[in-house]
Amino acid sequence: MSETEPTTIETGELSRRPGRQRGREDGKFGRYGGQYVPEALMPAIEELTDAYERYVLDNEDGFMDEFRERLADFGGRPIPLQRADRLSERYDREVYLKREDLLHGGAHKLNNALGQVLLAKYMGKERIIAETGAGQHGTATAMAAAHLDMPCEIYMGERDINRQRPNVFRMKLNGAEVNPVTAGRGTLKEAISETMRDWATTVENTHYVIGSIVGPHPFPVMVRDFQAVISEEARAQAIEKTGELPTDVVACAGGGSNTMGSFAAFVDDEDVALHAVEAGGSTLEVDEEAGVAPNSASLYTGEEGVLHGARTKLLQDSDGQIMESHSISSGLDYAGVGPELAYLVDEGRVSPVAVDDDAALEGFHRLSRTEGIIPALETAHAFGFLEERHEELGERVVVNVSGRGDKDLDAAIEETDKRDVDEAPDMSMFTGGI
Ligand SMILES: *Cc1c(COP(=O)(O)O)cnc(C)c1O
């Protein structure tokens, strides 16, 4: 790396530190993680594990160099770490924003989608499949597949297709096929089962791109390693701007990929506090009878169980049935969470916090109004946390802006209209419906 490079990304060194070795060998994070998959998928999982070790860990055939280059030229990296002047003043500490909303596609998800589609190419696969709920992961995967000239099929619940028409159109614009899933309630859970079924019969030529640090090994470590570019950059940028490490790093957590991406390079820096902000939904109280958790706070309130191929913390009732989750942000609305985060929470290394819908919406309006950045509703939870708990934080806080809010404007109008939100614009212009 040349002397004049503005941001020195010590990727190699950071990637070899002990915290980053966790899970790489056997997919175990203490009691969490593992490979709980049907027999039919084991060959695919073993082949992928081998490819992860060769191409990602050992940079065989220059895989990681090509990944970095494409993240730069197609994705727009490095992404700035920006000082938030008004928030710094408001909270009386230095607040820095890692602007993943500026990554191509408007969220952190491309880091992973691009890594996995490129890996599939190195593995000689000829077809990409993925599942998507709100459509964010599907759009990122379709974009990466178009960029790398790979045929792509996305499974999506029929109900979600009707609710997310712009994202469905985006995927189709990028040349992906969108396969509606009609089983069950026609949402993410059924779409995941359908994608698994496809993969079990097409493993020879197909790669399944999982969208977060969830699923069987090697997905949690592989997705973390692709997303770790967020904190590798942020760590170097913080040192360059302030001469010191941050005191705190804050990121929202659904499955937890932007979260571990923001934490990975700091895990071994014991003085840096790591805060994972989950969706507290409408309340943390659970309605066991109805099988519903009106939140998505699996790190904060969940219990150990197995979901989608890994042991982790889950929202489940006393019989071990997975409960439906809820959040105003679809990207956080998931009953599970990555096994590595579950482990780091048990170890006391990561602090889980739950921020409810109301506080998240306040965060959404505050960042928009004070900094000129409209965040995704997922991201807004991190700013709800900042408002509620900044007094407990240190002097230099890095917050990951996981995505931009353009996709959430309809939801934001609806949710704001229902509430009395501080700093919200006058909503009367919308009476009469929009
Ligand atoms: C998908 C998404 C999330 C949640 O996913 P993680 O795997 O928890 O990072 C958060 N923010 C944005 C903008 C998203 O699109």
Side-chain angles (χ1 to χ4, degrees):
M1 194 153 290
S2 84
E3 295 267 350
T4 52
E5 202 123 351
T7 301
T8 315
I9 304 168
E10 304 155 288
T11 308
E13 183 240 327
L14 288 171
S15 173
R16 282 190 295 275
R17 293 168 79 193
R20 286 286 290 285
Q21 297 305 320
R22 192 171 290 123
R24 275 179 177 167
E25 201 165 310
D26 57 3
K28 288 282 169 61
F29 304 93
R31 59 207 292 142
Y32 303 110
Q35 292 179 320
Y36 297 83
V37 295
E39 202 59 41
L41 280 182
M42 270 324 279
I45 292 290
E46 277 164 15
E47 188 189 348
L48 183 62
T49 305
D50 176 64
Y52 163 71
E53 288 171 0
R54 284 167 37 207
Y55 296 118
V56 181
L57 296 185
D58 296 341
N59 193 27
E60 197 173 299
D61 299 341
F63 170 83
M64 284 303 282
D65 304 325
E66 181 171 350
F67 173 52
R68 299 271 162 191
E69 193 175 324
R70 289 185 186 276
L71 273 183
D73 294 350
F74 182 62
R77 305 209 74 96
I79 300 288
L81 179 74
Q82 179 215 330
R83 184 176 188 276
D85 296 337
R86 253 83 54 211
L87 289 187
S88 296
E89 202 174 309
R90 178 178 178 93
Y91 298 131
D92 196 23
R93 58 235 321 123
E94 297 291 304
V95 177
Y96 285 89
L97 308 177
K98 182 61 176 166
R99 297 287 311 276
E100 290 300 307
D101 59 309
L102 296 177
L103 185 67
H104 178 48
H108 68 287
K109 285 195 167 69
L110 182 71
N111 297 322
N112 169 50
L114 191 65
Q116 285 197 49
V117 176
L118 188 64
L119 185 67
K121 222 170 178 158
Y122 274 61
M123 291 170 74
K125 303 291 178 193
E126 293 158 356
R127 176 173 173 262
I128 294 298
I129 55 173
E131 95 295 315
T132 196
Q136 292 305 107
H137 173 56
T139 13
T141 305
M143 246 162 42
H147 173 64
L148 291 164
D149 193 23
M150 288 280 263
C152 175
E153 288 177 44
I154 306 290
Y155 287 93
M156 190 167 181
E158 199 157 52
R159 257 179 48 157
D160 286 337
I161 287 183
N162 289 321
R163 287 190 293 197
Q164 307 287 345
R165 288 162 41 104
N167 274 338
V168 175
F169 192 49
R170 279 188 188 103
M171 292 180 239
K172 291 191 177 226
L173 283 171
N174 286 144
E177 269 179 54
V178 180
N179 301 328
V181 178
T182 51
R185 294 177 59 247
T187 57
L188 179 64
K189 199 160 130 245
E190 292 82 24
I192 293 177
S193 311
E194 207 49 46
T195 320
M196 289 274 184
R197 211 163 296 144
D198 179 321
W199 205 31
T201 59
T202 57
V203 290
E204 292 272 302
N205 72 347
T206 299
H207 176 65
Y208 174 10
V209 178
I210 289 186
S212 191
I213 55 163
V214 299
H217 179 66
F219 285 103
V221 279
M222 180 172 71
V223 177
R224 173 199 70 196
D225 286 348
F226 289 144
Q227 291 289 359
V229 63
I230 300 173
S231 51
E232 284 162 0
E233 283 179 8
R235 190 175 183 280
Q237 290 164 325
I239 292 172
E240 187 178 271
K241 290 203 173 207
T242 70
E244 290 175 276
L245 287 171
T247 54
D248 300 83
V249 179
V250 180
C252 67
S257 68
N258 93 90
T259 334
M260 269 322 294
S262 303
F263 295 170
F266 295 107
V267 163
D268 291 314
D269 301 317
E270 283 175 18
D271 293 337
V272 180
L274 307 173
H275 310 269
V277 186
E278 296 189 295
S282 50
T283 166
L284 291 177
E285 302 288 315
V286 159
D287 186 349
E288 276 242 358
E289 291 278 293
V292 174
N295 60 68
S296 310
S298 35
L299 282 176
Y300 194 75
T301 67
E303 298 198 28
E304 191 178 325
V306 172
L307 179 66
H308 298 140
R311 181 172 291 280
T312 185
K313 288 184 191 286
L314 303 171
L315 299 177
Q316 53 189 323
D317 65 19
S318 45
D319 298 327
Q321 293 291 325
I322 305 301
M323 289 193 287
E324 259 175 54
S325 53
H326 160 80
S327 166
I328 51 168
S329 70
S330 51
L332 300 187
D333 196 348
Y334 179 62
V337 65
E340 184 167 16
L341 274 176
Y343 170 81
L344 291 173
V345 163
D346 281 3
E347 290 294 292
R349 182 66 190 94
V350 168
S351 315
V353 273
V355 164
D356 69 17
D357 290 343
D358 293 348
L361 206 61
E362 299 266 354
F364 175 85
H365 285 286
R366 180 158 309 104
L367 188 70
S368 303
R369 175 162 290 207
T370 60
E371 297 290 344
I373 300 166
I374 300 171
L377 281 174
E378 290 85 2
T379 314
H381 287 72
F383 293 92
F385 166 72
L386 214 58
E387 175 73 12
E388 289 182 344
R389 309 274 291 269
H390 57 271
E391 283 179 1
E392 299 163 31
L393 305 180
E395 283 157 28
R396 290 175 307 283
V397 183
V398 169
V399 187
N400 189 41
V401 183
S402 58
R404 65 175 187 229
D406 305 49
K407 68 182 178 64
D408 292 327
L409 294 184
D410 283 341
I413 291 170
E414 197 180 307
E415 297 293 338
T416 306
D417 206 20
K418 283 192 222 162
R419 295 172 172 80
D420 184 18
V421 185
D422 254 14
E423 311 207 24
D426 172 13
M427 297 302 286
S428 62
M429 65 185 136
F430 294 121
T431 29
I434 200 171

